[in-house]
Amino acid sequence: MPIDDRKQRVLRAIVSLYSDDGEPVGSGLLAEHFGRAVSSATLRNEMAALTKLGLLEQPHTSAGRVPSAKGYRYYIDNLLDTSLKLSESEKRAAELAFREMDYDPERLAQSAARALADWTGYTVVATTPKSEDMCIAHFEVMQVGRYTAAVLAVTGAGGVRTRTAKLDFELRPGDAERLAQTLNEHLTFRSAADVSQPLLHAAAEGMGAGGAVFYPVISAAYTLLKEAGRPNVYLEGQQNVLGYSPQEECLRTLMEFFGDEEAVKRFISPKSERTTVLLGDEMPEYRMPGVCILSKRYVAGGGLTGAIGIVGPTRMRYREVIPRLEYFALLLGQCMSGKTEHGQRQEE
């Protein structure tokens, strides 16, 4: 949809002014924005033309204009300056926040989501790295109750996952150590697809006579192996939705969306390396006018990738928010691979 340079400047200005306070933009305010270099009458004509093109809307007869969903899409695809970077002071603030985080992948993703939600004032979603062939590097087994054992698994990406198993008897001295040895012998450095039920039963029988009674622990370890490659989803800052007050119907849909982990995971998983901007009007499954989702992929090393995304109002300040999201994605990927921005391991 080709539009001339002046209409582009008017649309860009209306998007900017509307993001400041959420109030419709009139020709008078727009004239002030341009330093009175363009008359109000000329601006009214341009606004009327943009409205006919479907890029602006007029909420009330005597009110100013606001960008439509179509107008935002045009702005994002054609007018948004994607070369903007964070200032050095903002970068240092983000780096400091990451230095104080736990570098375990599970905790790191959640901490990064919480920090970015606090910084932007919006809701943030982060996923742990995903890999179809993720394996377990090490198992530990501990007795945590009279009839309960905890299986601890360290993934190939450095994440730690646990699961408990209920037994019909009390573990004897040495059972936990022997179970851990069996799990490490049969289930480490294998993908879930490589593990069969006969192998699991053989592992239990390897515990000696009556080894089948230990099968619940073996099964718990196998469940951890199957879950190892699935990304966990962390949602932080849901209360920030109240700060931009979407319409009641949209708010209800947004809460339903937040409760659908698979949908959240799907919509914040970019198909490319570029930052993705998805408008709520473009989501057929969860249509949410006035809401948008920004998402960015991060690379954790070893071919593993995750995603971090921001859910906020369509009228957000993209020029400020996108650089923050992209820098957080960069730092998150570096920390997931065990390195700080300067290439040093965190423990150093």
Side-chain angles (χ1 to χ4, degrees):
M1 180 199 307
I3 62 175
D4 61 49
D5 181 65
R6 186 158 65 186
K7 288 183 178 63
Q8 289 185 347
R9 288 189 288 117
V10 169
L11 178 60
R12 184 187 290 114
I14 290 176
V15 168
S16 176
L17 292 169
Y18 184 57
S19 69
D20 289 339
D21 55 18
E23 294 295 327
V25 179
S27 58
L29 178 61
L30 201 55
E32 290 181 14
H33 176 81
F34 287 118
R36 299 292 176 181
V38 185
S39 70
S40 295
T42 298
L43 291 172
R44 281 195 294 272
N45 290 335
E46 296 290 12
M47 293 165 73
L50 288 168
T51 302
K52 287 184 178 179
L53 290 171
L55 301 178
L56 296 180
E57 296 175 340
Q58 190 173 20
H60 308 288
T61 303
S62 60
R65 304 306 206 274
V66 301
S68 64
K70 186 177 179 181
Y72 273 115
R73 176 47 63 195
Y74 184 91
Y75 168 79
I76 292 163
D77 292 344
N78 300 281
L79 306 179
L80 180 61
D81 184 357
T82 57
S83 66
L84 295 173
K85 305 297 181 184
L86 289 184
S87 66
E88 291 304 314
S89 62
E90 288 178 309
K91 287 182 179 180
R92 285 193 296 271
E95 292 160 11
L96 179 60
F98 271 85
R99 289 193 190 105
E100 297 174 349
M101 295 178 190
D102 188 323
Y103 274 35
D104 173 84
E106 313 291 334
R107 296 188 179 93
L108 181 60
Q110 185 173 23
S111 297
R114 186 180 302 119
L116 187 56
D118 291 342
W119 195 11
T120 60
Y122 301 131
T123 304
V124 175
V125 185
T127 67
T128 51
K130 174 185 178 181
S131 174
E132 298 300 330
D133 57 356
M134 179 75 76
C135 63
I136 301 296
H138 184 71
F139 284 103
E140 289 288 344
V141 179
M142 296 168 286
Q143 184 172 0
V144 293
R146 190 174 180 184
Y147 301 104
T148 307
V151 182
L152 180 148
V154 181
T155 71
V160 178
R161 295 173 183 248
T162 60
R163 194 173 185 88
T164 58
K166 201 78 170 178
L167 298 167
D168 295 327
F169 61 95
E170 188 172 352
L171 288 174
R172 301 179 300 270
D175 282 346
E177 290 79 3
R178 290 193 304 122
L179 276 165
Q181 183 178 350
T182 296
L183 295 178
N184 285 313
E185 179 181 344
H186 290 87
L187 297 182
T188 53
F189 301 105
R190 296 174 180 264
S191 68
D194 295 331
V195 177
S196 63
Q197 286 298 320
L199 187 148
L200 296 178
H201 287 289
E205 292 170 1
M207 291 290 294
V213 297
F214 294 104
Y215 188 79
V217 176
I218 308 293
S219 179
Y222 178 57
T223 299
L224 290 173
L225 175 57
K226 290 191 295 182
E227 294 176 347
R230 300 173 187 168
N232 282 346
V233 179
Y234 296 100
L235 193 65
E236 295 289 336
Q238 298 95 314
Q239 71 281 0
N240 292 335
V241 170
L242 302 176
Y244 56 90
S245 303
Q247 295 179 354
E248 183 178 346
E249 182 179 349
C250 181
L251 179 59
R252 185 162 48 247
T253 304
L254 189 55
M255 293 301 105
E256 292 175 0
F257 172 67
F258 287 158
D260 187 343
E261 185 174 295
E262 288 304 313
V264 170
K265 192 189 308 180
R266 185 167 65 255
F267 283 118
I268 71 139
S269 298
K271 298 295 188 294
S272 68
E273 298 296 330
R274 299 180 60 186
T275 298
T276 299
V277 183
L278 179 65
L279 301 180
D281 299 78
E282 300 168 344
M283 299 170 61
E285 187 177 351
Y286 287 96
R287 190 171 181 278
M288 298 178 284
V291 174
C292 79
I293 300 175
L294 310 180
S295 57
K296 176 69 176 176
R297 179 185 300 175
Y298 68 82
V299 180
L304 303 178
T305 62
I308 184 166
I310 294 175
V311 183
T314 306
R315 65 177 182 83
M316 72 169 66
R317 295 183 177 91
Y318 296 96
R319 289 162 53 89
E320 297 175 12
V321 177
I322 289 178
R324 293 180 180 182
L325 173 65
E326 292 178 340
Y327 201 63
F328 257 66
L330 174 65
L331 293 178
L332 186 53
Q334 290 173 342
C335 293
M336 284 286 185
S337 58
K339 296 182 179 181
T340 65
E341 185 197 8
H342 304 292
Q344 299 173 328
R345 291 197 174 275
Q346 194 239 6
E347 59 265 26
E348 296 176 354

